[in-house]
Amino acid sequence: MKKFLAIVLAGLMLISISACGSKPAAEPTPAPAAPADTAEPAPDAATPAPAEYGEYPSFAVVSKGFQHQFWQVVKKGADQAAADLGVEITFDGPPTESDIAIQVDMLKSAMDKKPAAVCLAALDTESVKEQLQACKDNGIPVVGFDSGVPNAPEGSIYATASTDNSAAAAIAAEQLYADAGFQAKLAAATPEAPINVAVLSQDATSDSIISRTSGFINKLVELVGDDSVKIVGHDKYAKDAASAKVIVNVNVPATTSAADQKTGAEALLGLDNLVAIYGSNENAAGGILAASNDGNDFNKDTGKFKDIIAIGFDAGKTQRVAVENGWFLGSVTQDPYQIGYKAVSLAVDAINGKPAASPIVDTGAKWYNAEALQDPSISELVYE
């Protein structure tokens, strides 16, 4: 009996020791709710929160260039978007916009790192078709920016962040129409004594240049009145009017060379009763500047073209100086900061599976005159 009781007692002691070594799991304690006055605001519905696409995905951003101020501002916008949206980016571009092979090598190198998405401003679509196909096959979304990837294979580009050139050119027409000097001359114009407005358009083949030309013309027609504006000089834009008091003269030079742009500008500046001249891109504006002693001839006190209103598009050092001195009424610039920002933002949407709202997302444009250039947020957009 004593032996039996000893065995039972030993067993009870073992059970007790085992129970002490295996406590039941504690119930999880819910995290305390943040006080109402310190809670983080909900993210905008159009901007996915970082938690939706994982922690720090990496995007490859490949531009047309790198050293030019325009691309530095694009990079600044892209970097800010990456910080705001919780992603990482690499930003590369060739030394110049003629270095197609270098850009292709940069794109290949970026893809070797298996990025979550690619943002690309292609110098030559044909040269990157193989990479575009590889991205498509591997489920890597590609976002175009600036001029994007023209004529890319169908379905290879998620969306493109770029300037709406027609809308940008319309800004120039609105500023011209609002000018008091132009209004005075318009009020005095008649079908018997019409005023002339000149448009220098670099070429008639580039989609962006065509849009920057037609956008200016169409807005001016809208503001002045359809029956009051006649368009001459080029069949692409020609338009008759029953009682025209404004004649828009479009000159498309023979080539895009600086010499031909200058020659085209000289022909327009020789028109009788010319009240305004518009250059539809940096090259065309450069032609106007070359034909006017770098803009000095538009000096409102002493210039031989002092009664003519000059307006440009894009930037460049000489054009900026002309605007700063008041020789040009002003110019329209693209917004490279928003080009970079929206390219990265679109890439975030793409990896989250959000359908693109539009194949082209407008990145806006800004009007700048001498006063506006005092604002650093405008000045940084006007590259030299």
Side-chain angles (χ1 to χ4, degrees), residues 28-92:
T29 303
D37 59 346
T38 62
E40 290 290 325
D44 188 279
T47 306
E52 294 179 19
Y53 49 80
E55 187 177 359
Y56 306 123
S58 179
F59 299 161
V61 183
V62 182
S63 72
K64 287 183 175 181
F66 189 77
Q67 296 177 348
H68 196 287
Q69 184 182 342
F70 178 90
W71 298 111
Q72 290 299 315
V73 180
V74 171
K75 182 180 185 302
K76 186 175 179 180
D79 285 340
Q80 187 60 56
D84 289 348
L85 301 174
V87 299
E88 295 178 346
I89 67 168
T90 59
F91 191 105
D92 287 309

Side-chain angles (χ1 to χ4, degrees), residues 190-191 194 220-231 239-247:
T190 66
L220 192 62
V221 169
E222 176 190 324
L223 293 169
V224 174
D226 186 69
D227 291 338
S228 298
V229 182
K230 180 179 181 179
I231 305 169
K239 173 187 173 300
D240 205 353
S243 53
K245 60 180 182 177
V246 176
I247 300 176

